[in-house]
Amino acid sequence: MESDQIHAWLRETNPARLTHLWRMADATRQQYVGGEVHLRGLIEFSNHCVRLCAYCGLRAPNSALTRYRMTQDEIMACVRQAVAWGYGTVVLQSGEDPQVSREWLASLVRRIKAETPLAVTLSVGERSDEDLWAWREAGADRYLLRFETSNKALYDRLHPPRPGSASDRLAMLGRLREMGYEVGSGVMIGIPGQSYRDLAADIALFRELDLDMIGVGPYLLHPNTPLGDPSFRPVAPDHDQVPADELTTYKVIALSRLVCPRANIPSTTALATLNRTNGRELGLERGANVLMPNLTPPQYRVLYEIYPNKACFQETAEGCFGCMRQRIESVGRTVGVGPGSAARGEPVQPTAAE
Ligand code: SAM
Ligand code: SF4
């Protein structure tokens, strides 16, 4: 599918055509990655961040936020829950936090790999190659780093570099691949200044990067950020602004599945925030094959406020576990077993039951 076709689908409004898009995405998901939905246990272990991202509530200047950093023992308690509930992976996510040292995170990864069968995914922002190598050597399997938008001018405006070091997330994704990580990336949908052409280029880039994981979700406004101020907001040219809505999110999930049929694609919490009733289920029926139940203890979870009123922000880890399983079963799918690595081989053979 070329960028022009992706663009046309993003602008599609005809319900019958959209039903066709959902069916194509669902059939492709079934053919390439099967009916299992993999559970990745998310541990948001630090909300400290040195960056100035114009969209995110964790940005350094947000003094209204109480900051926390979990201890290794607290994190290991969450990890053990993941094992007990049969999750195949834990995702260690944080702000860009220099207090999370190379050695500290390497020793945590080593502990998880020594004591559990879990795959370990890191999502801790832009770090040096030395850090990334050390964590890979310690056993980290995957790394998530969204490139946020392929529009360079918009990226630089919304994601300013740190003094003295350029921010080139695309180059970092290439290095992660060379180091042997499974690589995940993605974008926010409907961030101010994002045009339909930009979003079509983002999706075409997913294919070019040959991503193992693709995380997409709607942009949600946080008032204590520069984008909370209307006078700061970039404007897409020619009234071509993408809406940050549910329908566009489903279109992006479906198109991501079509351009990267073997990728692991979550139905995200940001989507569930727009539709708490059945947003996650509709994501699963329109191309997604992953859910990310939250393992973060509730007293920290409320402080990981990248945007307000996040879905499930008051839920316990146990509540998330039961809820996700029930949602998976409600759409006739099964809970994935094992780490659920990216399917790089042949399409999955349909079983008799499917
Ligand atoms: N600090 C790491 C990083 O930036 O890659 C990982 C944590 S960061 C909170 C994870 C993702 O949250 C970002 O890549 C961004 O796409 C998303 N995000 C941040 N602010 C958001 C907002 N206001 N609405 C929706 N998604 C947001
Ligand atoms: Fe920090 Fe990541 Fe938020 Fe940017 S998106 S402010 S790097 S936590």
Side-chain angles (χ1 to χ4, degrees):
M1 192 183 292
E2 297 308 316
S3 196
D4 280 350
Q5 283 171 287
I6 298 172
H7 182 245
W9 275 118
L10 288 173
R11 286 199 165 277
E12 185 61 64
T13 54
N14 178 312
R17 296 272 304 148
L18 287 173
T19 301
H20 179 59
L21 177 63
W22 312 144
R23 288 201 180 131
M24 282 195 299
D26 201 41
T28 304
R29 186 269 312 149
Q30 182 63 42
Q31 184 185 357
Y32 283 87
V33 295
E36 288 192 335
V37 177
H38 297 286
L39 295 174
R40 321 288 201 211
L42 177 64
I43 307 174
E44 298 155 331
F45 68 93
S46 164
N47 71 351
H48 288 266
C49 188
V50 291
R51 305 234 32 151
L52 304 175
C53 303
Y55 37 85
C56 177
L58 304 194
R59 65 194 306 273
N62 183 9
S63 55
L65 185 66
T66 303
R67 305 283 173 167
Y68 71 89
R69 190 177 295 113
M70 290 169 65
T71 65
Q72 285 205 3
D73 287 343
E74 286 177 313
I75 296 169
M76 285 307 296
C78 300
V79 168
R80 280 188 278 276
Q81 282 295 329
V83 176
W85 289 330
Y87 300 174
T89 303
V90 280
V91 180
L92 302 177
Q93 192 180 85
S94 69
E96 211 168 292
D97 179 0
Q99 295 296 313
V100 172
S101 69
R102 183 184 308 163
E103 296 70 28
W104 183 88
L105 190 49
S107 73
L108 177 64
V109 172
R110 271 194 294 273
R111 261 179 95 176
I112 297 172
K113 298 303 282 190
E115 294 176 29
T116 78
L118 297 174
V120 174
T121 303
L122 302 178
S123 174
V124 298
E126 291 158 56
R127 302 285 300 228
S128 72
D129 286 359
E130 292 74 19
D131 291 351
L132 301 174
W133 269 118
W135 300 333
R136 178 79 188 119
E137 277 171 10
D141 303 276
R142 308 176 183 146
Y143 205 100
L144 296 177
L145 186 79
R146 290 184 177 182
F147 61 80
E148 315 293 4
T149 169
S150 57
N151 175 331
K152 175 85 172 68
L154 184 61
Y155 179 76
D156 289 343
R157 176 103 197 265
L158 299 180
H159 186 89
R162 295 187 67 196
S165 68
S167 168
D168 189 344
R169 288 191 164 205
L170 292 175
M172 189 174 143
L173 290 171
R175 292 198 299 279
L176 287 163
R177 170 85 74 210
E178 284 166 17
M179 292 178 202
Y181 282 96
E182 278 183 48
V183 176
S185 193
V187 297
M188 280 170 285
I189 296 156
I191 191 120
Q194 181 188 55
S195 70
Y196 277 94
R197 287 275 167 213
D198 292 335
L199 187 54
D202 294 344
I203 296 168
L205 188 54
F206 294 165
R207 175 177 43 205
E208 209 176 299
L209 294 169
D210 191 21
L211 296 174
D212 300 306
M213 302 163 278
I214 300 173
V216 292
Y219 160 70
L220 296 157
L221 187 143
H222 192 302
N224 292 351
T225 59
L227 285 177
D229 173 0
S231 67
F232 175 88
R233 280 177 213 151
V235 177
D238 307 324
H239 305 289
D240 199 28
Q241 171 68 45
V242 172
D245 65 8
E246 205 186 330
L247 180 63
T248 314
T249 305
Y250 298 132
K251 290 178 184 173
V252 178
I253 291 174
L255 292 165
S256 300
R257 172 59 64 202
L258 294 176
V259 300
C260 291
R262 293 185 172 82
N264 282 315
I265 302 179
S267 186
T268 57
T269 302
L271 170 59
T273 299
L274 288 187
N275 175 352
R276 287 166 202 256
T277 311
N278 65 345
R280 288 190 201 276
E281 288 88 331
L282 288 172
L284 290 177
E285 290 177 323
R286 294 170 178 182
N289 70 322
V290 169
L291 289 178
M292 296 177 67
N294 201 322
L295 288 166
T296 314
Q299 71 272 28
Y300 298 129
R301 195 186 293 206
V302 291
L303 300 175
Y304 200 81
E305 200 196 45
I306 56 183
Y307 48 79
N309 291 319
K310 214 193 270 182
C312 321
F313 79 104
Q314 286 175 316
E315 193 51 86
T316 60
E318 191 160 21
C320 275
F321 165 63
C323 172
M324 296 284 179
R325 290 188 76 94
Q326 182 268 322
R327 287 177 192 272
I328 292 168
E329 283 159 17
S330 78
V331 291
R333 305 265 283 278
T334 53
V335 177
V337 179
S341 298
R344 288 198 159 262
E346 293 298 305
V348 173
Q349 294 296 322
T351 64
E354 285 160 358

